[in-house]
Amino acid sequence: MTVLGIETSCDETAAAVVQLSDQGRTEVLSNVIYTQATEHEGFGGIVPELAARAHVERADQITSDALKDAGILDVSQLDGVAATSGPGLIGGVMVGMMTAKAISLSHAIPFIPVNHLEGHALSARLTDDVPFPYLLLLVSGGHTQLLLVSGVGQYRRLGTTIDDAAGEAFDKTAKLLNLGQPGGPKVEDAARSGNDERFAFPRPLHQRDDCDFSLSGLKTAVRVVAERITDLTQQDRADISACFQRAAARHLSHKTLGAMKIAERSGVKTLVLAGGVAANNVIRQHFDEIVQARDWKMVVPPAKYCTDNGAMIALAGAEQIRARGIPDQTKAMELAPRPRWPLDSNPEGARHGGGKKGPKA
Ligand code: KG4
Ligand code: ZN
């Protein structure tokens, strides 16, 4: 099964072609990404209107590049075209869906609407053989959730952030320290030459034994420390970055450990990290420790599949067809973009935003 996937829900215009064999083997035939950096420079975050315009300008080219790189000469040979249909910035999501619907109609191939979070949830299966069920920590710019993944479309949420997402906290820390955007990689870079013991940052929700996260206190701690120092030096920035990163890693791994204990009761012993923040090496190292201590297996996709990409959307589309068949095309074509779209059906989810993804700063 060969599927084209299109991703436009935030600041990446991305398209990819993925092939899924009957045995479940996956091959990424192409993966093209354009990251909007210059478009949002100087605004301190992503401007939704500018993002949507930039997607309009690039979507067709990126899509045809992905088809060309994959050696697809006849688009009607594809088994489907998938596009992120939410959650995300509505203007961008509309662009991706319209592009995919146009391809679907003009080449008579099925259109498969994909939940962006499902793309992240399945992304580890792009490169690794990861059988269901597994425990998933989804950490991105808009989400921080722990989910039990039992199959395609089968998700049970164990915990979520009660305030900011982890990526958002990285982005805001970078903004406060004037490191530039996107914040995650900038903070990670700055932290390399920092002392991660110089400041004592809080341990959010440490005494609570649920699996929820809270990141806004860390962000405030960063602000308090940064404002206390007049004329922040390069070294101060590095030290604050290192302390924040360590505190975030400690918080994420501590809460995940609680979820691992719950998941073990159902025989689950595999942890998958996904989403942009999973690209962070210090965070990965913290997880290595807890995973080894409990004799679990951990799978983290390569960085290019942690951050937003078209391959995970193509795979989610292909996996949907394999699990449930081609979606009803009348309904798919009529589906409106969804700014919010929680992955699990747990109504509790709505309490904490249930799938919000907004401008990252
Ligand atoms: O998954 P993603 O590309 O987009 C969303 O779905 O939100 O995640 C983007 C987020 C941003 O907040 C970015 O700063 C963060 O992931 N990120 C990182 C790293 N690379 C990207 N955070 C920490 N360390 C990184 N190396
Ligand atoms: Zn994402």
Side-chain angles (χ1 to χ4, degrees), residues 116 120 140-142 167 171 183-185 188 276-277 280 306-308 357 360:
H116 179 82
H120 280 303
S140 67
D171 293 339
E188 186 172 7
V277 181
N280 185 291
C306 285
T307 47
D308 288 350
K357 186 179 177 192
K360 290 176 196 161

Side-chain angles (χ1 to χ4, degrees), residues 31 59 74 120 153 173 186 195 203 220 225 266 282 284 288-289 310 325 340 349:
N31 187 42
D74 179 2
H120 280 303
T173 295
K186 302 278 188 201
N195 168 6
R203 298 190 141 216
T220 309
V225 166
S266 336
V282 171
R284 289 178 186 218
D288 273 339
E289 285 166 26
R340 281 162 185 257

Side-chain angles (χ1 to χ4, degrees), residues 211-230:
C211 303
D212 283 343
F213 302 93
S214 169
L215 277 307
S216 72
L218 284 180
K219 177 189 68 188
T220 309
V222 167
R223 185 160 45 76
V224 169
V225 166
E227 283 174 0
R228 237 183 12 226
I229 305 171
T230 34

